[in-house]
Amino acid sequence: MEEIIEALEEARRLRREKADWNFINSLPPKLKAALFYYIETGDIYVASRIAGLSVDEFNELRIKARVPSVT
């Protein structure tokens, strides 16, 4: 169980470190909140719903924000 928790924390750390925070902070509140949620959880489906985008559209936004897809 500890290994899983450590892996999740490592993924979160990588998403935080690699993200383009200047780009993220320049976005409208809805998109910014969705990216924050994704960075913290890695849940692209819920994040896309927060943003009001399809999963594919949100994935394009994630790439523009330089947030890695860590699983």
Side-chain angles (χ1 to χ4, degrees), residues 22-38:
N22 290 328
F23 174 77
I24 293 169
N25 287 322
S26 73
L27 294 172
K30 194 175 183 180
L31 299 179
K32 187 187 314 186
L35 281 167
F36 283 159
Y37 181 85
Y38 178 76

Side-chain angles (χ1 to χ4, degrees), residues 20-21 23-25 27 29-41 47 50-51 58 61-65 67:
D20 181 348
W21 289 104
F23 174 77
I24 293 169
N25 287 322
L27 294 172
K30 194 175 183 180
L31 299 179
K32 187 187 314 186
L35 281 167
F36 283 159
Y37 181 85
Y38 178 76
I39 289 167
E40 291 301 309
T41 67
I50 292 169
F58 182 81
L61 178 65
R62 177 193 63 76
I63 291 167
K64 287 180 186 176
V67 178

Side-chain angles (χ1 to χ4, degrees), residues 1 3-4 7 14-17 27 29 33 37 40-42 50-53 55 63 65-66 68:
M1 186 66 157
E3 291 175 6
I4 293 171
L14 286 172
R15 289 190 295 267
R16 285 180 187 158
E17 284 181 6
L27 294 172
Y37 181 85
E40 291 301 309
T41 67
I50 292 169
L53 302 171
V55 172
I63 291 167
R66 297 187 193 153

